[in-house]
Amino acid sequence: MCANTKKKKVGARKAMQISITLPEREGEMLKRFAQQNGTTRPAAVRRMVIDALKQYKVAASKAEPQNQLGLFDTLQVDIFNNTSKLSD
């Protein structure tokens, strides 16, 4: 009795392909940008998108969800009994 068990190979994740269309003027600017940075146009677009998504991720992590009540916010009270919310 031979028990052949086949294991699935774990491969690289498949990249998502997205197609964009640019006006001729912006296509020329992209071409000049890529030449100036010594890269190809697709690589330049990829770099721009990755940088923009990193910035979005940082901004999104700082945003407070709208459905939160703010029950655990730190409040500061001054000598005139005015309160203000502390932000980190």
Side-chain angles (χ1 to χ4, degrees), residues 24-82:
E24 187 175 343
R25 184 180 297 165
E26 291 178 357
E28 289 297 321
M29 286 194 315
L30 177 62
K31 182 179 177 181
R32 284 183 294 203
F33 177 82
Q35 286 176 348
Q36 187 178 17
N37 290 317
T39 185
T40 62
R41 289 178 297 169
V45 170
R46 199 173 305 119
R47 183 181 303 161
M48 289 179 205
V49 170
I50 289 171
D51 288 341
L53 289 175
K54 283 180 184 178
Q55 292 174 1
Y56 172 76
K57 183 179 178 182
V58 170
S61 67
K62 291 181 182 179
E64 182 177 313
Q66 294 295 326
N67 63 350
Q68 298 300 314
L69 297 174
L71 296 176
F72 301 106
D73 289 340
T74 305
L75 294 177
Q76 181 177 10
V77 179
D78 63 7
I79 60 172
F80 301 109
N81 213 16
N82 295 328

Side-chain angles (χ1 to χ4, degrees), residues 7-14:
K7 294 183 180 180
K8 292 183 179 180
K9 292 184 180 181
V10 178
R13 290 185 177 160
K14 190 172 183 179

